[in-house]
């Protein structure tokens, strides 16, 4: 659980630096650019180059895809009713539609389910969350960053093709089964290891308590969707299918309770829009998601 302590410390340090006036709001944008152009592509190459699909894990892998699709459908409709602009809708879809299944999710699965749960958690993260982020996340980021004339399918695809995480996905698929030289592999691992701490440090520097009050509506709706409605949907579906008592089912529930993804926050913030909203969703959602995972595991054990 030491990795969780590091993430919390990075978030607190970033918030302290912002509160002390040592850094301004532009610091988070610089960190986000570094993550999008360096750490996130490196992590994508590492996660997706050697991934293996097993049929027994399909239900777990499907969970992040279903979450993102539902987030897109729900927040598009909610945003239309509440008068949200395209940047707000896009930020809500990316940040609340992608769970923190790696940096927080994997340590939580190991702590709550033991090492037996890690294969399912890794498959869910690699074939689910990372693929969703590299494809759907890149597409929505392009959509939310475009001006009025850049929201056609061709316009979004052109912008998506320029996102480093998506290019890294194509590289990972091209390099499947190809061993990398040890120095290259080591460099990628070092760059990827910076993703979680830097993302939360940058998130902390973007935290603005006044913005938390101003964005109560989006926070309540977004986190209510991600931390309450979505886990209940997953539990109901697995219960109906009789899959709550096996390891894959329990791991899927734990990962479903995770807060918004720090990598998704970096991707959404890289557009230079809604950084405060993205940071607030992650800062509030990550600890609440950890508590939710513990409660869900206790409930499943008592049921």
């Amino acid at each position: 659980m030491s990795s969780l302590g590091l993430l919390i410390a990075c978030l607190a340090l970033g918030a302290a630096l912002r509160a002390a006036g040592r850094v301004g709001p532009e610091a988070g944008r610089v960190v986000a650019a570094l993550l999008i152009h360096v750490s996130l592509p490196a992590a994508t190459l590492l996660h997706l180059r050697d991934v293996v699909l097993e049929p027994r894990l399909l239900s777990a892998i499907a969970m992040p895809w279903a979450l993102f699709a539902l987030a897109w459908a729900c927040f598009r409709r909610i945003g239309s009713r509440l008068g949200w602009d395209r940047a707000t809708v896009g930020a809500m879809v990316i940040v609340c539609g992608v769970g923190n299944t790696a940096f927080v999710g994997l340590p939580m699965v190991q702590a709550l389910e033991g090492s037996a749960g890690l294969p399912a958690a890794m498959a869910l993260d690699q074939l689910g969350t990372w693929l969703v982020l590299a494809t759907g996340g890149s597409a929505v980021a392009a959509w939310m960053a475009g001006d009025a004339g850049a929201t056609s399918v061709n316009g979004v695809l052109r912008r998506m093709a320029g996102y480093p995480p998506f290019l890294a996905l194509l590289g990972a698929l091209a390099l499947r089964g190809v061993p990398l030289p040890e120095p290259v592999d080591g460099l990628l691992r070092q760059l990827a290891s910076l993703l979680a701490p830097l993302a939360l440090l940058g998130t902390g520097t973007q935290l603005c308590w006044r913005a938390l009050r101003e964005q109560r509506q989006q926070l309540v709706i977004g986190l209510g969707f991600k931390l309450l409605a979505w886990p209940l949907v997953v539990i109901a579906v697995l219960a109906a299918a009789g899959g709550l008592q096996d390891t894959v089912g329990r791991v899927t529930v734990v990962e479903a309770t995770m807060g918004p993804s720090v990598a998704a926050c970096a991707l959404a913030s890289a557009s230079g829009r809604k950084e405060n909203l993205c940071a607030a969703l992650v800062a509030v959602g990550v600890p609440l998601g950890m508590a939710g995972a513990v409660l869900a595991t206790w409930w499943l054990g008592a049921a």
Side-chain angles (χ1 to χ4, degrees), residues 92-116:
M92 296 286 280
V93 171
I94 295 175
V95 179
C96 296
V98 180
N100 208 326
T101 59
F103 309 123
V104 179
L106 293 178
M108 289 298 294
V109 167
Q110 186 165 24
L112 297 172
E113 295 293 334
S115 58

Side-chain angles (χ1 to χ4, degrees), residues 65-89:
W65 292 94
L67 168 61
F68 193 81
L70 186 61
W72 172 257
C74 287
F75 291 125
R76 287 271 284 175
R77 180 176 292 273
I78 292 171
S80 176
R81 288 180 176 272
L82 297 180
W84 293 350
D85 59 20
R86 186 167 67 245
T88 300
V89 173

Side-chain angles (χ1 to χ4, degrees), residues 29-290:
R29 194 173 302 173
V30 174
V31 173
L34 175 64
L35 294 172
I36 293 303
H37 290 87
V38 180
S39 293
L40 188 54
T44 301
L45 283 169
L46 283 176
H47 277 291
L48 298 179
R49 193 169 53 83
D50 298 319
V51 72
V52 177
L53 176 63
E54 296 183 29
R56 69 184 183 88
L57 302 177
L58 286 177
S59 61
I61 294 168
M63 189 272 285
W65 292 94
L67 168 61
F68 193 81
L70 186 61
W72 172 257
C74 287
F75 291 125
R76 287 271 284 175
R77 180 176 292 273
I78 292 171
S80 176
R81 288 180 176 272
L82 297 180
W84 293 350
D85 59 20
R86 186 167 67 245
T88 300
V89 173
M92 296 286 280
V93 171
I94 295 175
V95 179
C96 296
V98 180
N100 208 326
T101 59
F103 309 123
V104 179
L106 293 178
M108 289 298 294
V109 167
Q110 186 165 24
L112 297 172
E113 295 293 334
S115 58
L118 288 179
M122 288 296 293
L124 182 153
D125 180 63
Q126 294 169 1
L127 288 174
T129 300
W130 281 104
L131 271 179
V132 166
L133 191 60
T135 55
S138 294
V140 175
W143 174 79
M144 70 180 283
D147 54 32
T151 56
S152 66
V153 173
N154 288 337
V156 170
L157 288 176
R158 281 196 300 270
R159 285 178 172 268
M160 182 178 167
Y163 274 92
F166 183 73
L167 298 177
L169 168 64
L170 299 181
L173 295 176
L175 292 172
R176 279 183 58 84
V178 178
L180 294 177
E182 186 173 339
V184 175
D185 185 76
L187 176 62
L188 288 175
R189 291 186 184 279
Q190 288 182 338
L191 293 174
S193 69
L194 298 174
L195 179 53
L198 275 182
L200 279 168
L201 184 68
T203 295
T205 66
Q206 293 171 342
L207 273 179
C208 175
W209 301 113
R210 184 182 63 192
L212 288 178
R213 294 191 296 270
E214 294 173 350
Q215 295 166 341
R216 285 194 303 267
Q217 181 190 70
Q218 289 92 341
L219 283 172
V220 170
I221 293 174
L223 295 181
F225 168 84
K226 179 65 190 73
L227 301 178
L228 182 60
W230 178 245
L232 290 177
V233 168
V234 171
I235 290 172
V237 170
L238 289 174
L244 273 180
Q245 297 308 316
D246 61 22
T247 299
V248 174
R250 291 195 303 271
V251 166
T252 303
V253 171
V254 171
E255 292 284 35
T257 64
M258 289 296 98
S261 165
V262 294
C265 176
L267 180 62
S269 299
S271 68
R273 306 182 186 187
K274 303 300 176 183
E275 299 104 317
N276 288 337
L277 173 59
C278 296
L281 287 167
V282 170
V284 178
V286 166
L288 289 179
M290 293 165 64

